[in-house]
Amino acid sequence: MSSVDPTGRDYSPSRTKYRIERIWLTPIYRSLIRTGVPLAIVVALCTAHFSKPETQAALAKSVQSAWAMVENRPEFAVNLMRVEGGSDAVAEQVRAALPITFPESSMRMDLVTLKTQIEAVDAVKSADLFLRSGVLEVRIEERTPAMIWRGVDRYELVDATGVRAGTLETREAHGHLPLLLGLGAQAHAPEALEIIASAGALRGRIRAMRWMGQRRWDVMLDRGQIIQLPVHNPTPALERLVALHKARDVLSRDVTLVDLRDGRRPVLRLSSAAVNELLRLRAIADEEEET
């Protein structure tokens, strides 16, 4: 039968309409038109709205206010700090190193940064931080001073590795610690401690270790006596001198300096009084020979 009306109308679908109907029957295109187009319109409207500077500022202010309300909740408050593992003096230095005013929100605390600031304190070797029940717990390992290095204008405490452990105005508070002298001596503190440990009976007489010429040590004893150690193998050289002193009581005599830089034999320097006495005895001996 023909689809042509007697009046001349053609009721069969056009090719364009047929294609549109076929597209509409495709699920992906139907979903795109039903969902994608409205969503695109909404996104375009939101973009246009939030692209305005005043809208962005209001939104940022709202977000900040909401975040501040969360940060300032009582359950996030830190009310005090407790320092454990160190002396009272070091604990005060740790508190002074942290720019915190309590109470403070735990959500604003950067524990990594706080740890770095605490470990920058000379007397602190390491630190661990914990947040527990509104308390900032700081557990520190304190550096143990092993020697005193005399700098240009102050005394500094150093540990057994030569790292600075604090500063001093005078030596009285740590007068029992050996003294390091010389530029850069603190960097060689481990070797100085090894030499002191090998001094045996002379250990109690050591007053200072002097770093000479950026290459070797002088051991400074009481009574103004000085032991010049060699550049290489200073510890065995000192041990030989200790054995010699034990056998012949060398350092109990009028000796001002013992030079051990020549590994073959020590060189002794006598005091002026001892030299004068020796010269006097020789003169007497010479007179006796002449007569």
Side-chain angles (χ1 to χ4, degrees):
M1 294 181 62
S2 173
S3 61
V4 179
D5 187 278
T7 61
R9 290 183 177 180
D10 186 2
Y11 290 97
S12 62
S14 65
R15 181 174 297 180
T16 301
K17 182 178 180 182
Y18 174 77
R19 289 181 176 176
I20 292 174
E21 290 179 348
R22 293 294 298 174
I23 291 173
W24 181 251
L25 293 175
T26 303
I28 186 171
Y29 286 106
R30 190 164 60 246
S31 299
L32 180 63
I33 293 173
R34 286 180 175 176
T35 306
V37 172
L39 182 62
I41 294 173
V42 171
V43 170
L45 291 175
C46 291
T47 302
H49 177 69
F50 287 107
S51 63
K52 299 177 181 179
E54 58 273 16
T55 304
Q56 294 177 356
L59 179 62
K61 185 176 180 179
S62 299
V63 172
Q64 291 175 355
S65 298
W67 183 251
M69 291 177 62
V70 174
E71 284 185 333
N72 295 325
R73 293 285 299 173
E75 52 266 33
F76 297 129
V78 179
N79 299 305
L80 57 89
M81 176 174 61
R82 182 166 58 239
V83 182
E84 301 176 348
S87 63
D88 293 341
V90 175
E92 288 301 321
Q93 294 178 31
V94 170
R95 290 188 177 90
L98 298 184
I100 302 176
T101 301
F102 294 100
E104 177 62 285
S105 173
S106 61
M107 300 185 70
R108 287 194 290 266
M109 288 186 175
D110 185 350
L111 296 186
V112 175
T113 300
L114 295 178
K115 175 181 170 69
T116 302
Q117 292 174 332
I118 293 172
E119 291 180 343
V121 176
D122 291 336
V124 177
K125 185 176 182 180
S126 63
D128 294 303
L129 282 74
F130 307 92
L131 287 172
R132 290 194 178 96
S133 303
V135 178
L136 174 61
E137 293 186 5
V138 180
R139 297 180 183 176
I140 63 174
E141 181 182 356
E142 190 173 344
R143 294 189 186 279
T144 302
M147 306 190 81
I148 300 173
W149 175 64
R150 189 174 70 186
V152 177
D153 56 354
R154 62 181 179 180
Y155 292 98
E156 292 186 1
L157 292 169
V158 296
D159 65 8
T161 64
V163 178
R164 187 170 63 179
T167 59
L168 295 172
E169 295 297 330
T170 61
R171 287 194 59 194
E172 283 71 15
H174 293 81
H176 62 287
L177 296 179
L179 179 65
L180 290 175
L181 304 175
L183 181 64
Q186 73 278 24
H188 303 273
E191 185 181 37
L193 290 172
E194 180 182 352
I195 293 172
I196 293 173
S198 68
L202 298 178
R203 186 172 181 178
R205 296 184 54 191
I206 295 177
R207 293 296 175 264
M209 297 288 296
R210 184 170 59 188
W211 184 240
M212 300 295 294
Q214 297 292 314
R215 56 198 299 268
R216 67 169 194 84
W217 291 101
D218 279 354
V219 181
M220 307 182 72
L221 306 178
D222 56 3
R223 296 171 50 195
Q225 293 177 320
I226 298 174
I227 302 172
Q228 295 179 330
L229 297 177
V231 175
H232 304 291
N233 302 317
T235 300
L238 182 60
E239 289 174 344
R240 289 193 294 270
L241 176 62
V242 171
L244 179 62
H245 172 67
K246 185 176 181 180
R248 300 191 178 181
D249 208 21
V250 176
L251 293 172
S252 297
R253 306 177 188 277
D254 288 335
V255 175
T256 60
L257 183 142
V258 181
D259 189 347
L260 301 177
R261 291 175 294 176
D262 186 347
R264 294 171 297 178
R265 57 186 176 83
V267 177
L268 306 181
R269 180 186 300 169
L270 301 177
S271 65
S272 300
V275 171
N276 293 334
E277 180 64 18
L278 181 60
L279 293 176
R280 188 182 69 81
L281 293 176
R282 285 183 178 177
I284 293 173
D286 291 340
E287 292 177 0
E288 292 178 350
E289 288 181 0
E290 291 178 357
T291 58

